[in-house]
Amino acid sequence: MKQTILAISLLISLNSWSQTKPKVDFTTANASIKFDIAEHMVAGDVTYQFTVNEATDSIKIDAKNMMIQGVKLNGQTPKYHYDKKQIAFTQGFKEGENTVTISYKTNPKQALYYVGSGTDLQIWTQGQGKYTSHWLPSFDDYNEKVVFNTKITFESGYDVISNGTLDGKTVSGKQTTWSYKMTKPMSSYLMMMAIGKFEKKIEKSASGITIENYIRPVDASKYTTTYQHTKKMFDFLETQTGFSYPWQIYRNIPVEDFMYGGMENTTSTIFNSDYVVDNIGVNDRDYVNVNAHEMAHQWFGNLVTAKSNKDHWLQEGFATYYALLAEREVYGVDDFYWKLYEMAELITKDAKENKNTAVYSEKATTTTYYQKGAWMLFYLSSQIGEANFNTVVKNYLNKYAFKNASTQDFLNEVTAVVPNFNVDNYKQNWLENKGFNTKDALFLIENSPLVKSYFEVLALQEKGFEVKKDQLLKLLKDPNTFTDTKREIIFQLHNVPYDQAKEFYQTVVQSNDLKVRQALVQVVSEIPTDFMEDYKKFLNDNSYITREIVLKNLWLQDVAGRTDLLDKTATWKGFNDYNLRITWLMFALATENYKNDKKAHWYSELENFAYNKYNSNIRTNAINALWYLNKYDSNTLPHLVNALVHHNSRFQKFGRDAIVRLSEKKEFKDHFKKLIPYLPQDEHDALKKLMEEI
């Protein structure tokens, strides 16, 4: 009887496996890539090993707008069809093991980007939403997982980074070939390259994983403030998920002009250099949350990948929630509940303003997949208990490791651990609900001391100032009152006359809390005469945001003090977008009789920031400053045209909107039209198209 049961069980298992295995399974890729920098051309070849498990009419590989140089299928030159989107084979393959090699050239219009020039040149990729198949024949379907090995040849002296561990470097003349090797499969959108000049430091996780953190040499002094808590969060995620880090190595690489906060490429996260901050900038923004989010994706998204677009929250919701958990480990439970509250506010607003805000759906908003997805997990954890939740996640990761999973797959794991939990109700009322159960959600966090104290002050918002004055002042002076509660107190001073709020102002001036001090600076639009000298003290705050606000307000309102103000702030730079330097140049140029002999040099410096050797944030700041000085400055026009072909969609929109606005005046419209014949081809085409639309 035991033998019969075993035989039947084995037969069922084999039948189940045969029903789920794909007709064609690509297993390994070996890619070799070279660059023609002058032409922005990629030349490469890639060899795929694949298994045909059962008869199929055709096999397709995605390849966008490439020049196919040659194809070999099992050593022979096959017939194939290429429509500039996919290479399709209908013959030449057989059941069992096969090999195909594709040689190609391409000038990618997206997914691979060149930023800067000369020694500041960076090349980096973005696969998610842009498709790796623009620079490497690969698979847009993220259900196709492959072990990728990559060789990249580039000019010696640059650092070249790709997925996996560095398997060696070889030098030939002025070129170096970097070889990277992986051992586990991943989806093609997680393929990456980053090329530039970096320094790196190495940390070791508690489990022995190497963590490489990169930074540009010019930013070397910002390493500690940028990469704070990295190892601690990595160790936490390994413990919290119950699943050992699934890859061989982990890296962080900051790049210029990245279009998002970061991207969780397997083993090698690319992130926006705006998060590279010094010991002042770190008080305004830091890499901690983005770092934790992209790190969490190594499990949620890279190890286990969503089966369909409807399941996208399994990646972004999980990464957002586990980043919160990692920050809870760093900053404490009050910070955790406060951020959940901020998310709840954002989700509620999003649900009112947008149509599709159901977590389990296609084409929902970013807030839905990220913040609302995180809230779905927090709610689930609160209902089934954190210990059960952790068991569910551990089982889920183990069962679907290096595979794809659906929302139902995850819910099945919930049922397996907590059979009495009503999964259908959870799915209907939370995952599929376009609204947000704000009341139920806030009930879960309202007993947090921070959230509770904030709500108590928020409840006073509509009351007259004299009624609440003493209560608010007492809380503001209390060293045990939370910073976010104190900020709300300051925001309630809006429109309160200075003579009534004077004691509040003086309390803040004497405070060392940068966030509370910044709140007052944000509230004060007109500086009271009696407060002017105290207001100037905020110029010394270790906050670039505070300094910029104070610099602007003082220049506008203290005309007699402009010379002293500009002298005091002449060496300021600010964030990586030069926010303070550009603001200073703008005001120095606008100040009558201020060092007139230097103004031509300052104007050249300001206009120089608008050129494409700088990132789009710097260029936007510079163009806005030039417009402040002269809203019809013709020197800005070529920069606006160049913005039309920039990879950053925000900068594209900035340029387009400005050209449309300026073209309302006939002389500007005529000027743009006259520019068209003299422009590079991409700018020529973009401006011509826009002029035809206007």
Side-chain angles (χ1 to χ4, degrees), residues 241-243 303-304 393-401 403:
T241 60
F243 193 104
L303 173 66
V304 181
V393 172
K394 181 179 179 180
N395 293 348
Y396 168 72
L397 292 174
N398 275 283
K399 187 170 184 177
Y400 296 101
K403 300 175 186 175

Side-chain angles (χ1 to χ4, degrees), residues 370-471:
Y370 286 67
Q371 286 82 9
K372 191 175 181 182
W375 251 100
M376 299 303 98
L377 296 171
F378 172 66
Y379 175 78
L380 177 62
S381 178
S382 71
Q383 299 306 297
I384 67 175
E386 190 163 351
N388 283 333
F389 179 82
N390 291 341
T391 300
V392 168
V393 172
K394 181 179 179 180
N395 293 348
Y396 168 72
L397 292 174
N398 275 283
K399 187 170 184 177
Y400 296 101
F402 308 109
K403 300 175 186 175
N404 297 75
S406 67
T407 297
Q408 191 57 52
D409 291 331
F410 173 67
L411 295 179
N412 289 344
E413 297 307 310
V414 175
T415 300
V417 175
V418 193
N420 294 327
F421 180 70
N422 192 332
V423 167
D424 292 335
N425 181 67
Y426 171 69
K427 185 176 181 181
Q428 180 180 348
N429 293 331
W430 289 85
L431 299 182
E432 296 177 337
N433 187 352
K434 291 183 179 181
F436 183 59
N437 302 317
T438 307
K439 185 176 180 180
D440 292 342
L442 294 182
F443 176 77
L444 298 175
I445 62 173
E446 64 184 5
N447 288 324
S448 156
L450 168 52
V451 175
K452 187 175 182 179
S453 74
Y454 175 79
F455 282 172
E456 289 171 353
V457 170
L458 197 64
L460 301 173
Q461 203 172 60
E462 300 303 319
K463 292 189 176 182
F465 183 67
E466 289 302 322
V467 175
K468 61 186 177 182
K469 178 179 179 180
D470 291 343
Q471 183 180 353

Side-chain angles (χ1 to χ4, degrees), residues 632-665:
Y632 298 123
D633 189 334
S634 61
N635 288 330
T636 65
L637 304 187
H639 305 306
L640 298 178
V641 176
N642 180 256
L644 295 177
V645 297
H646 198 275
H647 67 267
N648 189 305
S649 60
R650 292 186 300 276
F651 192 48
Q652 278 185 28
K653 185 177 186 302
F654 172 80
R656 178 188 173 86
D657 290 349
I659 291 172
V660 170
R661 184 176 64 253
L662 288 169
S663 293
E664 292 174 358
K665 290 184 173 291

Side-chain angles (χ1 to χ4, degrees), residues 47 89 196 202 218 235 327 336 342 356 375 441 461 489 514 598 611 615 643 657 670:
T47 299
F89 309 96
I202 295 175
V218 69
D235 292 341
E327 287 186 292
F336 174 71
E342 289 184 315
N356 187 9
W375 251 100
Q461 203 172 60
I489 292 170
L514 291 174
K598 295 185 178 181
Y611 280 86
N615 73 45
D657 290 349
D670 290 343

Side-chain angles (χ1 to χ4, degrees), residues 91-245:
Q91 58 184 19
F93 51 86
K94 62 185 187 298
E95 287 199 28
E97 301 302 315
N98 295 263
T99 300
V100 61
T101 299
I102 302 168
S103 299
Y104 66 97
K105 287 185 177 180
T106 185
N107 185 342
K109 301 305 179 187
Q110 63 185 59
L112 186 148
Y113 304 97
Y114 300 79
V115 178
S117 59
T119 57
D120 292 326
L121 173 68
Q122 289 186 346
I123 303 172
W124 47 262
T125 59
Q126 169 58 26
Q128 188 172 40
K130 302 295 181 182
Y131 301 119
T132 298
S133 57
H134 281 272
W135 62 271
L136 177 73
S138 51
F139 305 96
D140 295 347
D141 180 1
Y142 33 74
N143 288 279
E144 185 69 70
K145 293 198 169 189
V146 179
V147 177
F148 285 95
N149 302 308
T150 313
K151 291 185 178 181
I152 303 167
T153 301
F154 200 77
E155 179 184 334
S156 298
Y158 285 83
D159 294 287
V160 177
I161 306 156
S162 191
N163 310 83
T165 54
L166 181 61
D167 198 36
K169 292 191 294 183
T170 57
V171 178
S172 178
K174 295 181 179 180
Q175 302 281 303
T176 299
T177 298
W178 301 63
S179 299
Y180 285 89
K181 185 177 181 62
M182 292 197 68
T183 59
K184 298 293 184 181
M186 66 178 185
S187 303
S188 296
Y189 78 89
L190 296 164
M191 272 290 289
M192 65 79 66
M193 284 192 294
I195 300 172
K197 297 200 172 186
F198 299 101
E199 295 179 2
K200 74 176 178 184
K201 292 188 178 181
I202 295 175
E203 298 184 67
K204 285 284 186 181
S205 73
S207 61
I209 297 293
T210 297
I211 303 171
E212 294 181 348
N213 295 320
Y214 289 75
I215 202 155
R216 293 188 308 164
V218 69
D219 292 324
S221 63
K222 303 174 184 177
Y223 177 88
T224 301
T225 43
T226 298
Y227 288 115
Q228 59 179 325
H229 311 308
T230 296
K231 178 185 179 300
K232 183 173 186 177
M233 294 190 298
F234 188 98
D235 292 341
F236 169 80
L237 288 172
E238 277 207 293
T239 301
Q240 185 71 18
T241 60
F243 193 104
S244 298
Y245 179 69

